[in-house]
Amino acid sequence: MDQLGCDECGASLRLMRAGARFCSPNCRLKAHRKARRAHQLPPEMKAQRRFVRFTSRKRPITVTGRSASSTNDQTWSTHADAAASSKGEGIGYVLGAGVGCIDLDHCIRDGKVADWAQAVLDSNPNTYVEVSRSGEGLHIFGRLDEGPGRNFRDGTRAIEVYSVGRFIALTGQRFRSAPLRLAPISVPAL
């Protein structure tokens, strides 16, 4: 089925060539600029072949839409291929090879970071941090030895730490002025 509206502004594409995604060069340029900003990731991550796409239920899929696995590198792809694919809802990064993530859930309310989450951010100032898809959480990416995942919830804090065998749904929405590099991360005592 043909798409009925411009990917950028929603204007009709009825008079455009078959397969057109934009109504004008301006909309194509705006969308391209947004896509570049949305995929600002540290070069160390982009250089690795550890990317997948994911479904609305956050299940990993390949760039062709088949099932993927966070433990089967044959189902992963490059960042460029994942970014170019339109399958699923977005891009995910498979943790491992020295890259881990501290996932802080439900820590942003009305634009303010909860004190418990700010303490974790303060202990990891030199590494990449992005806002999660919900807009209420943060992902702190950095150098971390592979080990078992940890999950801590106490009614106030919701902290998960993973370094292998998981993928994280990416937004590329850098948190504040977080650097575009990976540094060793300091895992909070859970």
Side-chain angles (χ1 to χ4, degrees), residues 53-67:
R53 301 283 299 177
F54 61 87
T55 67
S56 59
R57 294 185 178 189
K58 285 181 39 174
R59 297 204 187 275
I61 58 174
T62 67
V63 296
T64 61
R66 293 184 169 172
S67 288

Side-chain angles (χ1 to χ4, degrees), residues 2 15 19 24 28 38 40 42 50 57 67 92 106 135 162 176 186:
D2 290 336
L15 300 177
S24 70
R28 183 175 45 252
Q40 288 189 348
R50 302 187 73 85
R57 294 185 178 189
S67 288
H106 311 294
Y162 300 109
R176 296 182 181 158
S186 175

Side-chain angles (χ1 to χ4, degrees), residues 25-95:
N26 283 342
C27 278
R28 183 175 45 252
L29 184 59
K30 281 182 188 177
H32 176 71
R33 286 181 177 156
K34 279 183 188 175
R36 287 187 64 197
R37 284 192 305 270
H39 295 291
Q40 288 189 348
L41 298 171
E44 304 99 311
M45 290 172 71
K46 282 186 168 184
Q48 296 183 16
R49 190 177 183 279
R50 302 187 73 85
F51 290 88
V52 293
R53 301 283 299 177
F54 61 87
T55 67
S56 59
R57 294 185 178 189
K58 285 181 39 174
R59 297 204 187 275
I61 58 174
T62 67
V63 296
T64 61
R66 293 184 169 172
S67 288
S69 169
S70 60
T71 59
N72 180 355
D73 63 0
Q74 298 300 304
T75 63
W76 309 341
S77 68
T78 64
H79 177 266
D81 288 344
S85 173
S86 61
K87 301 296 182 187
E89 299 289 317
I91 298 173
Y93 181 81
V94 180
L95 300 172

Side-chain angles (χ1 to χ4, degrees), residues 88-156:
E89 299 289 317
I91 298 173
Y93 181 81
V94 180
L95 300 172
V99 178
C101 180
I102 302 171
D103 185 359
L104 307 176
D105 289 333
H106 311 294
C107 66
I108 301 174
R109 298 274 191 243
D110 301 319
K112 182 172 176 7
V113 176
D115 292 341
W116 63 267
Q118 189 61 55
V120 178
L121 287 170
D122 291 347
S123 66
N124 291 286
N126 299 316
T127 199
Y128 177 69
V129 180
E130 71 170 24
V131 177
S132 68
R133 287 176 43 89
S134 70
E136 296 178 349
L138 296 170
H139 298 148
I140 303 171
F141 287 92
R143 300 278 172 214
L144 186 62
D145 291 336
E146 291 184 4
R150 290 177 272 166
N151 188 330
F152 177 80
R153 296 182 191 284
D154 67 0
T156 302

